[in-house]
Amino acid sequence: MSLTIGTKAPAFSLPATDGREISLDTLKGRKVVLYFYPKDDTSGCTMEAKDFQALKADFAAADTEIVGVSPDPLKSHDKFRAKYGLDFSLASDEAKAMLEAYGVWVEKSMYGRKYMGVERTTVLIDRDGNVAQVWNKVKVPGHAEEVLKAAQALDA
């Protein structure tokens, strides 16, 4: 399933770091960047997290919350956050229900072997809970800056 810009973002409720429960309802009224990534502490995922962290103050100034989502357990998220000084929430979707609802749990292929995994995707949600923009098959370099510009433009 692919997301359509302007439609309601799929509802979700997930356990997150800092003992939080994150849901679309608790985020309503703010803009939200949901970035879906395959695995904690791998090179691309680390670079992406560090890029979002570097721009966290700019996202905060744009009243935009950053939430990283992967199927890794909270214990893994906690280690990942501590190791790289990440100051935003990471949500755990071990059941993969949200990943499927957002269309990012897909069949992948590496060296001819097929397997299921997270397709690196970012979704920008507006203050009303609607999908404002979607980036599929994200290439990490420059991506966080592009998402920030889109978040800033939502209120312009």
Side-chain angles (χ1 to χ4, degrees):
M1 178 200 122
S2 62
L3 299 176
T4 305
I5 292 173
T7 61
K8 282 277 179 223
F12 64 89
S13 182
L14 293 174
T17 49
D18 296 333
R20 290 179 68 189
E21 184 81 16
I22 290 188
S23 70
L24 199 54
D25 286 342
T26 61
L27 297 167
K28 200 162 191 147
R30 299 191 70 201
K31 294 175 280 183
V32 181
V33 170
L34 289 178
Y35 83 91
F36 298 93
Y37 65 100
K39 188 154 181 53
D40 289 337
D41 216 3
T42 55
S43 62
C45 298
T46 299
M47 187 188 323
E48 186 175 28
K50 287 165 84 175
D51 288 352
F52 276 113
Q53 180 61 44
L55 296 172
K56 183 167 187 295
D58 296 312
F59 277 104
D63 195 31
T64 304
E65 179 142 356
I66 303 166
V67 180
V69 183
S70 88
D72 291 320
L74 285 178
K75 192 172 184 176
S76 174
H77 283 346
D78 287 336
K79 278 196 224 167
F80 185 47
R81 284 183 78 213
K83 184 173 181 179
Y84 296 103
L86 304 177
D87 187 26
F88 53 84
S89 294
L90 297 178
S92 174
D93 187 12
E94 291 184 84
K96 301 169 189 75
M98 179 200 187
L99 298 173
E100 288 176 358
Y102 277 77
V104 302
W105 186 250
V106 299
E107 185 176 81
K108 299 169 98 176
S109 179
M110 188 186 299
Y111 307 119
R113 184 179 73 83
K114 294 193 181 310
Y115 62 97
M116 295 301 288
V118 174
E119 181 174 272
R120 192 181 307 278
T121 303
T122 301
V123 178
L124 178 61
I125 299 172
D126 69 18
R127 295 176 190 283
D128 298 320
N130 297 316
V131 176
Q133 197 156 345
V134 180
W135 292 264
N136 294 304
K137 297 183 181 175
V138 166
K139 301 289 182 242
V140 174
H143 177 64
E145 292 86 352
E146 187 181 340
V147 175
L148 175 61
K149 283 182 187 148
Q152 291 167 329
L154 273 184
D155 289 335

